[in-house]
Structures are given as C-alpha cells and as structure tokens.
C-alpha cells in the first residue's frame, strides 16, 4: 500500500500524466488543483480521465477523488498489481499516450502485466505503437527486462478520429534493473520501416515507400520498408495512412521518425509522396542529433536509470527534447529515488547524461 506521506500539491493540467506515474512509483499522494480552471470547458479532459481509470485498473487500493467540476484531483497510489487487463482508451489521444506510461510501470508490478488497449494506434501527436515497439522495447531489454512474455503487438490498426485499433502488451516483472553504459552510438548500418494504410487504396503505402527510398537510398543501401494494409474489421473505423522509420546502428542503437496523414475531415489532404519524403528527412534529422537513445525515449531511459541498482549509469543523448527537459524538472520535485542525482555534461552538440542511483533502502 502507499505510504501515508504528506501529499504533494500542484496547480494546472501540465505534466499531469508524468506526475501520476511518478506518484505511483514513489508511493507519494498528489493533489492537483486548478485544472483548466479558467477555460470555457474547465476540468479534466476525456483522455486524462481515461488515463486515471487505467491507473486504477492496474493498481490495487488506489484512492482517487475528483471534485464536481473536475478541476481538483487527489490521487493516493496503491500497489502496482498488474495481471490481465482490458482498457478502452479515449480516441482524443492515441494508445501511445497510455503505453508510454505503462512502459514505465509494467516492470514493477506484483504480477506480470497482460493488457489489451483499444483506440487509436497512429496519430500526429503521440508516439505510435510501431515506433515504441521498434525503439522502446530494445531499450527496456538493455535494462534486463526481457523474456518470452515480453511482447507488444498490433492486432488491429485504428486511425483518428474513429479509432477502432487494438494492441496487446505483456511485460514480465523485474525486481532489479541492470545499470547501463551507453556512450557509443556507433554507425548507421540499416534502416527499416513500416508504411501502413487503412481504408484507403493499398497503392498509398507503395507510393510512400517509393518516395521515402528516393531520399534514403542516397545515404545507405540496406533499406527495407514493409507495407501493412489491413482490411475489414482489422482496419479500424477511419481511413488514413502513415510511415514509421527506424535506423539501427552497429552498437544496437535505434533512432526513429514517423508521420501520419491528417485525420478524416481535418486539415488539408496529404499526398503520400510528400509524407514519405518528409518522414525520411525527419529520420535524417534524428540521426544528425545523435545519441544512444532517440528523442522519443530519452525520458524513459532517464527514469529507468533512476530506478536501477546502486551504481552509475551513463547514456549519451543528443540535444534534450523539450519533453525530456520538463521530465527532469518534474522528477526533481517528485523524486522516485531521493538519493539519485543527474550529472549532465555538454560535449560539442551532444549531452552526456549520467545518473547515480541510490540503494533500494535509500
């Protein structure tokens, strides 16, 4: 059960998800006030309420109190229980919004987590399931989280605004995480990708592949981009297409980029050729940023370093993303490991981040 510590108090809706995840890991209650208090539509949004319900499902004994207007939230975390869970995510955010937090919490459950998430699998806001599968899963394996039961699978794709996708995620329990020493990203050796299309012509995916390769073939020959065209019930409720690319280095580093088409009825139509070329350029930009962890997973790497053994972990990062900078501030004011400390050294255009983890008793 959560410790009866004095609750931490915050104001505003910013970083709500990060605060709830860190509260769950540290066992410290939080009270968040003035959630969009001055908006025409004040209080929690549907996707935030759905995230709170998900936390309630994977924990045992959590206490959640929300006032009538939804502008004040009190959360006292319970035990991370795990087990078999099903959850319908809000279609206002993709499944990646929920999955990012589950990747932080799943290794520390009492029972191995097996969860089915339904909703939007690919959108323009959150990391897609494809990118998290290609980059976050190998990162977790670096920390010793591995096994036959470690799986992330897309059963059905769902594009906004209708959704209709389904994802299965299972993760084993790990009592102790290994410290990591990732300081040499290596050279790019191959690029893989997934061009997907749902409820549109299969030729859309082929056009995306051709345009992306027209850029990437100038830099490396080992390129393979798969096409995924789901039909019928597996194609969700809304049409759309997109591309996710992952570059792998000689030392096992994965750098990613992705783009998706505009939701049906929103914004201008996007040509598959433009999407493919722009996504390829985003991948080249990510490679130029460097580091052993891509921008999407910087915060995940730093959190797992904090929760590791009493040892020094080192990771070489590219320029910290705005999300990661905010995450460091939130972690500082809600320490999941009070004795942990960050040491960040700037080396040229790269940042070297070192984190000293405390003992389990600390």
């Amino acid at each position: 059960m959560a410790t009866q510590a004095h609750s931490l108090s915050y104001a505003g809706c910013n970083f709500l998800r990060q605060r709830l995840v860190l509260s769950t890991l540290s066992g410290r209650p939080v009270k968040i006030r003035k959630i969009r208090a001055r908006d025409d539509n004040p209080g929690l949004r549907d996707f935030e309420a759905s995230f709170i319900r998900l936390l309630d499902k994977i924990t045992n004994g959590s206490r959640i109190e929300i006032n009538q207007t939804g502008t004040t939230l009190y959360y006292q975390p319970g035990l991370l229980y795990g087990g078999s869970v099903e959850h319908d995510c809000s279609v206002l955010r993709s499944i990646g919004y929920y999955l990012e937090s589950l990747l932080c919490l799943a290794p520390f459950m009492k029972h191995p987590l097996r969860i089915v998430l339904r909703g939007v699998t690919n959108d323009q806001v959150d990391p897609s399931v494809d990118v998290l599968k290609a980059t976050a899963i190998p990162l977790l394996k670096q920390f010793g989280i591995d096994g036959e039961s470690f799986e992330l699978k897309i059963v059905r794709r769902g594009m906004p605004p209708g959704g209709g996708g389904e994802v299965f995620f299972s993760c084993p329990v790990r009592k102790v995480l290994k410290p990591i020493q990732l300081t040499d990203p290596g050279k790019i050796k191959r690029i893989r990708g997934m061009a997907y299309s749902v409820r549109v012509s299969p030729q859309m995916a082929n056009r995306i592949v051709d345009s992306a390769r027209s850029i990437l073939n100038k830099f490396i020959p080992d390129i393979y981009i798969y096409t995924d065209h789901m039909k019928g019930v597996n194609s969700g409720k809304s049409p759309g297409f997109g591309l996710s690319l992952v570059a792998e280095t000689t030392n096992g580093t994965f750098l990613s980029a992705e783009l998706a088409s505009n939701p049906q009825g929103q914004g201008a139509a996007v040509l598959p050729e433009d999407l493919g070329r722009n996504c390829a350029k985003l991948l080249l930009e990510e490679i130029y940023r460097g580091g052993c962890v891509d921008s999407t997973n910087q915060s995940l790497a730093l959190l797992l370093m904090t929760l590791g053994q009493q040892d020094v972990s080192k990771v070489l990062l590219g320029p910290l993303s705005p999300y990661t900078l905010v995450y460091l501030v939130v972690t500082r004011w809600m320490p999941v490991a009070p004795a942990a400390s960050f040491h960040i050294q700037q080396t040229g255009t790269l940042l070297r981040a070192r984190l000293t983890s405390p003992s389990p008793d600390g």
Side-chain angles (χ1 to χ4, degrees):
M1 293 295 291
T3 58
Q4 299 298 318
H6 179 67
S7 63
L8 298 168
S9 182
Y10 300 99
C13 63
N14 291 338
F15 329 127
L16 183 139
R17 180 178 52 151
Q18 297 96 313
R19 285 168 176 163
L20 293 180
V21 168
L22 294 174
S23 169
T24 305
L25 290 171
S26 64
R28 296 197 64 178
V30 292
K31 185 174 184 179
I32 304 175
R33 302 172 294 104
K34 300 179 181 179
I35 301 174
R36 301 185 181 90
R38 297 184 178 181
D39 281 19
D40 294 335
N41 182 22
L44 294 167
R45 297 290 182 258
D46 287 344
F47 63 89
E48 293 167 333
S50 178
F51 178 72
I52 294 170
R53 288 194 294 271
L54 175 60
L55 287 180
D56 189 41
K57 288 180 180 179
I58 63 175
T59 58
N60 185 15
S62 293
R63 177 184 167 194
I64 301 169
E65 297 176 3
I66 303 173
N67 68 348
Q68 289 185 345
T69 59
T71 56
T72 300
L73 165 67
Y74 176 80
Y75 174 68
Q76 180 175 336
L79 174 71
L80 276 168
Y81 190 77
S84 297
V85 181
E86 293 187 10
H87 184 68
D88 293 326
C89 305
S90 169
V91 294
L92 297 178
R93 299 294 290 265
S94 83
I95 291 175
Y97 173 83
Y98 305 87
L99 199 54
E100 275 187 306
S101 299
L102 288 178
L103 292 171
C104 301
L105 298 173
F108 310 105
M109 303 282 180
K110 183 176 181 181
H111 301 285
L113 179 66
R114 296 174 56 85
I115 187 168
V116 175
L117 299 170
R118 300 185 182 91
V120 174
T121 56
N122 305 80
D123 70 358
Q124 298 176 322
V125 181
D126 301 294
S128 69
V129 181
D130 298 281
V131 162
L132 292 176
K133 180 179 180 180
T135 59
I137 297 300
L139 178 62
L140 289 170
K141 290 180 179 180
Q142 296 270 12
F143 287 91
I145 304 168
D146 200 1
E148 294 181 0
S149 60
F150 194 31
E151 182 182 9
L152 177 57
K153 180 172 63 175
I154 298 178
V155 181
R156 295 198 293 263
R157 284 195 186 274
M159 300 293 291
E166 183 175 310
V167 171
F168 173 74
F169 174 57
S170 65
C171 181
V173 176
R174 288 293 178 268
K175 301 295 184 183
V176 178
L177 300 182
K178 296 192 304 185
I180 60 170
Q181 301 287 326
L182 302 178
T183 56
D184 182 10
K187 304 292 184 181
I188 302 297
K189 67 176 181 179
R190 60 172 165 245
I191 294 175
R192 296 292 182 263
M194 175 68 72
Y196 55 86
S197 57
V198 293
R199 296 192 175 274
V200 295
S201 169
Q203 285 300 316
M204 291 290 193
N206 296 331
R207 290 163 63 184
I208 292 173
V209 172
D210 291 342
S211 59
R213 290 186 66 99
S214 69
I215 300 291
L216 298 175
N217 278 340
K218 300 175 183 178
F219 301 95
I220 189 171
D222 191 356
I223 300 171
Y224 197 93
I225 303 176
Y226 300 87
T227 57
D228 181 17
H229 181 73
M230 290 191 171
K231 301 178 181 179
V233 68
N234 290 336
S235 62
K237 301 177 181 179
S238 299
F241 53 87
L243 173 65
S244 61
L245 295 171
V246 178
E248 183 181 355
T249 71
T250 53
N251 288 345
T253 292
F254 295 88
L255 306 173
S256 66
E258 63 178 330
L259 276 180
S261 60
N262 290 329
Q264 184 182 22
Q266 301 178 24
V270 178
L271 290 175
E273 288 80 7
D274 292 340
L275 187 144
R277 283 191 294 268
N278 291 337
C279 188
K281 292 175 183 177
L282 285 177
L283 180 66
L284 295 177
E285 182 180 344
E286 187 69 35
I287 292 171
Y288 175 75
R289 291 166 62 90
C292 297
V293 179
D294 67 346
S295 303
T296 303
N297 296 293
Q298 287 176 349
S299 58
L300 175 63
L302 294 176
L303 177 65
L304 294 177
M305 290 162 68
T306 309
L307 299 171
Q309 302 180 53
Q310 184 179 5
D311 204 339
V312 174
S313 291
K314 292 182 181 179
V315 62
L316 184 70
L317 304 177
L320 297 182
S321 67
Y323 181 89
T324 305
L325 291 171
V326 168
Y327 203 87
L328 288 172
V329 174
V330 176
T331 307
R332 171 67 182 86
W333 291 109
M334 183 187 288
V336 290
S341 61
F342 290 95
H343 303 277
I344 301 177
Q345 293 178 309
Q346 186 168 2
T347 309
T349 59
L350 298 181
L351 292 175
R352 187 180 301 273
R354 185 181 68 180
L355 188 147
T356 307
S357 299
S359 65
D361 298 333

